[in-house]
Amino acid sequence: MNEIRKQFPVLNQEVNGHPLVYLDSAATSQKPIQVLEAVKSYYELDNSNVHRGVHTLGNRATDSYEGAREKIRKFINANSTKEIIYTRGTTTSLNTVAGAYGRMHVNEGDEIVISYMEHHSNLIPWQQLAKEKGAVLKYFDLEQDGTITLETVRSTITDKTKIVAITMASNVLGTINPIKEIAEIAHNAGAVIVVDAAQAAPHMPIDVQDLDCDFLAFSGHKMCGPTGIGVLYGKQALLEEMEPIEFGGEMIDFVDLYDSTWKELPWKFEGGTPNIAGAIGLGAAIDFLTEIGLEKIAEHEHSLVEYAMDEMDKIEGVSIYGPRDPQKRCGLITFNIDGVHPHDLATVLDMNGIAVRAGHHCAQPLMKWLQCTATARASFYMYNTKEDVDRLVEGLRIAKEYFNDVF
Amino acid sequence: MSFNNNLDQLYRSVIMDHYKKPRNKGSLEGDSVTIDMNNPTCGDRIHLTLKMNDGIVEDAKFDGEGCSISMSSASMMTEVIKGKKLEEALELAQIFSNMMLGEDYSDKYDLGDVEALQGVSKFPARIKCATLAWKAMEKGVNEQR
């Protein structure tokens, strides 16, 4: 993996006098040279608007933009590029499902089921939809180790349930949820399943046809791509019946004074000039990830998490949240140290060149469930090494000593 | 060790003393103004109660959750504003804001332990931690005026 690391220019620097250890990829990943080059080359050689130009640059831009869509289709094994909608990111994707599909199908007394481990972006759209429609918002209970059992899923979903929205991998607990099984239970009850794959798509293989999920959302920037580009996958039949929620250029068929018709899928959901460079960058990121192999990335992260949990366990006063079995979790560890507030910890680590996240991780209801207001999180990607873990563990010891012994 | 020297700029022992032994912790009963504020990006939260009579801050107590910087700042703030006129309390909030921005600030008042928070200005990500309690106080005093 050392060769891979060299392809990320940003990692080759010192922060506060120490070589940078970047452990915040769950917030946003770093970008390899291949992605940076793809974006640069688009702007330097092909920059033009898509789907309108008769000229050569317009054609090149359109080919690259639509070519990236095909890469995404293949990456998640969707049936057709009609099912791949470019968005600004996971948040926009999930809001689009809630706004377009949810508004149409959820009525008073219906149920929407989500879980306590949802990121705010897969919680608030449903909460607000439920409020608007007079629907009931229900939560899957979590087990002590931060997992959801299929018994819970079966007993929570009823024939009144219209939508089940759940994360594939938790950005706090690291829990990987059994999406395929949950999808089956949801479908048997007549509900659709919406999957937040923001933390999954960068780290593990996804096959939407095998999972049989109805909608799936993810962001480019967490998987080596640029910010401001993301994906909404939806089954074609569902997308066909949905009305667009953004109107304007690019998404129309005919516009008359008093009515308009829409372009076919996927463009009817892509009003306005899209993030062309972002889409092309995401395409390059997918090439990069595919070349390494998602299985290999997942395996590397599991081994880092296992090593890190073992080493962190040796420090007295460290509590790790989420499942203990590294195979059941994605590549992140959320934790606390007795007597050191996570913000203070993050500052101490930063002074030592180590970047971690501290706070509520956009999951306030989950923080309540964990009975803490904030936690620290170290998250790994394919460019992290065992040495990075050693530096983290050393940083934790320094912080603990500094706060518990110096004062 | 240079690493610790840098940290010492931020975490002075007087700060840690306020963090571990907060002054004026709790909630005032009776006729007082209550302000709840949080820092939505990090989850810090403060519950401040102020007793103000005849244009003077007679008493102040705080409760809340947060890092050493936010909680020690709250503790110090309650100490320094007690007995001050409302205008003076607001002026102190301005002085504190200047201090956090690394700007020159007035030496009109004896800031006491608050001076120890000066180092926070060198840690941009932590300035919001330090100012939370002061923002709450400003809000409470302005409501009263």
Side-chain angles (χ1 to χ4, degrees), chain A residues 16 18 339-341 343-352 357-361 364 372-374 398 402-407, chain B residues 1-4 6-13 16 19-20 38-45 65-69 123 126 129:
Chain A
N16 295 321
H18 301 269
V340 188
H341 191 278
H343 301 163
D344 294 321
L345 174 66
T347 294
V348 174
L349 292 176
D350 182 52
M351 294 310 291
N352 208 19
R357 172 89 188 259
H360 57 55
H361 316 292
Q364 289 179 14
C372 48
T373 50
I398 291 171
Y402 189 78
F403 280 93
N404 293 345
D405 302 343
V406 175
F407 298 106
Chain B
M1 188 173 159
S2 69
F3 165 60
N4 274 351
N6 283 336
L7 275 183
D8 290 341
Q9 283 186 14
L10 180 63
Y11 298 111
R12 311 271 302 273
S13 56
M16 295 311 290
Y19 179 47
K20 297 200 164 169
N38 69 334
N39 182 346
T41 56
C42 64
D44 283 1
R45 123 195 126 63
E65 280 166 87
C67 60
S68 59
I69 303 298
F123 292 77
R126 307 301 301 276
C129 310

Side-chain angles (χ1 to χ4, degrees), chain A residues 175-328:
Chain A
T175 315
I176 298 172
N177 285 317
I179 297 299
K180 190 175 174 174
E181 289 75 8
I182 299 173
E184 199 187 334
I185 298 167
H187 290 151
N188 287 340
V192 297
I193 181 166
V194 184
V195 179
D196 170 1
Q199 298 293 345
H203 304 284
M204 60 195 79
I206 291 180
D207 180 334
V208 289
Q209 296 190 65
D210 179 56
L211 293 174
D212 197 22
C213 54
D214 299 286
F215 298 98
L216 182 125
F218 56 96
S219 299
H221 73 95
K222 291 189 201 291
M223 48 191 287
C224 296
T227 50
I229 187 79
V231 173
L232 169 62
Y233 158 83
K235 281 183 182 164
Q236 190 174 337
L238 299 174
L239 293 174
E240 297 280 10
E241 64 167 33
M242 282 156 60
E243 283 290 307
I245 52 172
E246 276 197 339
F247 306 102
E250 200 95 356
M251 53 76 69
I252 46 87
D253 190 10
F254 288 106
V255 178
D256 206 347
L257 281 181
Y258 302 104
D259 206 359
S260 302
T261 54
W262 320 134
K263 254 189 195 168
E264 59 179 329
L265 285 174
W267 303 290
K268 81 169 177 185
F269 290 105
E270 295 179 2
T273 294
N275 183 354
I276 306 166
I280 292 168
L282 176 55
I286 285 177
D287 287 342
F288 178 80
L289 295 176
T290 313
E291 198 171 311
I292 301 168
L294 270 293
E295 272 100 357
K296 205 171 154 195
I297 292 171
E299 197 184 304
H300 177 68
E301 290 172 8
H302 283 146
S303 73
L304 285 182
V305 163
E306 186 167 11
Y307 178 61
M309 286 205 293
D310 286 348
E311 291 302 304
M312 285 164 74
D313 275 342
K314 291 179 192 160
I315 307 173
E316 206 190 320
V318 169
S319 344
I320 294 173
Y321 303 104
R324 292 301 307 188
D325 179 357
Q327 295 302 322
K328 281 191 184 158

Side-chain angles (χ1 to χ4, degrees), chain B residues 29-74:
Chain B
E29 303 294 323
D31 199 15
S32 59
V33 173
T34 303
I35 311 98
D36 284 289
M37 240 187 210
N38 69 334
N39 182 346
T41 56
C42 64
D44 283 1
R45 123 195 126 63
I46 185 166
H47 172 82
L48 180 67
T49 42
L50 299 172
K51 193 176 168 199
M52 294 173 278
N53 274 319
D54 301 328
I56 287 178
V57 182
E58 283 183 353
D59 205 356
K61 276 192 191 297
F62 82 100
D63 218 330
E65 280 166 87
C67 60
S68 59
I69 303 298
S70 70
M71 291 297 107
S72 64
S73 182

Side-chain angles (χ1 to χ4, degrees), chain A residues 7-259:
Chain A
Q7 296 172 52
F8 290 81
V10 77
L11 296 176
N12 183 28
Q13 65 175 302
E14 290 204 339
V15 167
N16 295 321
H18 301 269
L20 170 64
V21 172
Y22 186 77
L23 299 178
D24 198 18
S25 296
T28 194
S29 72
Q30 296 303 347
K31 325 299 176 199
I33 197 87
Q34 291 84 340
V35 169
L36 305 177
E37 286 295 334
V39 172
K40 185 163 172 260
S41 148
Y42 161 71
Y43 278 125
E44 282 183 354
L45 302 171
D46 304 331
N47 180 51
S48 193
N49 214 326
V50 289
H51 298 306
R52 345 179 134 74
V54 176
H55 55 74
T56 304
L57 292 194
N59 287 339
R60 277 197 227 143
T62 304
D63 286 351
S64 307
Y65 178 73
E66 291 302 330
R69 198 190 304 272
E70 168 58 20
K71 289 176 188 178
I72 296 164
R73 182 205 66 75
K74 217 171 143 194
F75 184 69
I76 59 170
N77 192 32
N79 203 25
S80 152
T81 50
K82 287 182 197 293
E83 300 179 321
I84 307 296
I85 296 158
Y86 286 126
T87 67
R88 208 156 52 85
T90 306
T91 299
T92 312
S93 300
L94 294 167
N95 275 281
T96 302
V97 182
Y101 182 87
R103 278 231 178 83
M104 211 161 114
H105 290 273
V106 174
N107 296 306
E108 196 176 340
D110 288 343
E111 294 170 355
I112 302 169
V113 182
I114 64 175
S115 83
Y116 282 107
M117 67 172 92
E118 298 316 309
H119 186 281
H120 292 163
S121 62
N122 199 29
L123 190 160
I124 307 170
W126 308 115
Q127 178 193 73
Q128 295 301 309
L129 177 67
K131 263 179 80 179
E132 182 189 317
K133 294 287 188 175
V136 182
L137 184 65
K138 289 165 78 175
Y139 287 81
F140 290 130
D141 278 334
L142 303 185
E143 300 303 301
Q144 271 309 307
D145 68 348
T147 56
I148 298 170
T149 66
L150 292 179
E151 288 71 51
T152 300
V153 174
R154 277 189 209 101
S155 62
T156 313
I157 295 175
T158 72
D159 56 6
K160 284 186 182 163
T161 306
K162 288 288 179 326
I163 294 173
V164 176
I166 188 157
T167 188
M168 190 160 175
S170 161
N171 70 314
V172 175
L173 300 167
T175 315
I176 298 172
N177 285 317
I179 297 299
K180 190 175 174 174
E181 289 75 8
I182 299 173
E184 199 187 334
I185 298 167
H187 290 151
N188 287 340
V192 297
I193 181 166
V194 184
V195 179
D196 170 1
Q199 298 293 345
H203 304 284
M204 60 195 79
I206 291 180
D207 180 334
V208 289
Q209 296 190 65
D210 179 56
L211 293 174
D212 197 22
C213 54
D214 299 286
F215 298 98
L216 182 125
F218 56 96
S219 299
H221 73 95
K222 291 189 201 291
M223 48 191 287
C224 296
T227 50
I229 187 79
V231 173
L232 169 62
Y233 158 83
K235 281 183 182 164
Q236 190 174 337
L238 299 174
L239 293 174
E240 297 280 10
E241 64 167 33
M242 282 156 60
E243 283 290 307
I245 52 172
E246 276 197 339
F247 306 102
E250 200 95 356
M251 53 76 69
I252 46 87
D253 190 10
F254 288 106
V255 178
D256 206 347
L257 281 181
Y258 302 104
D259 206 359

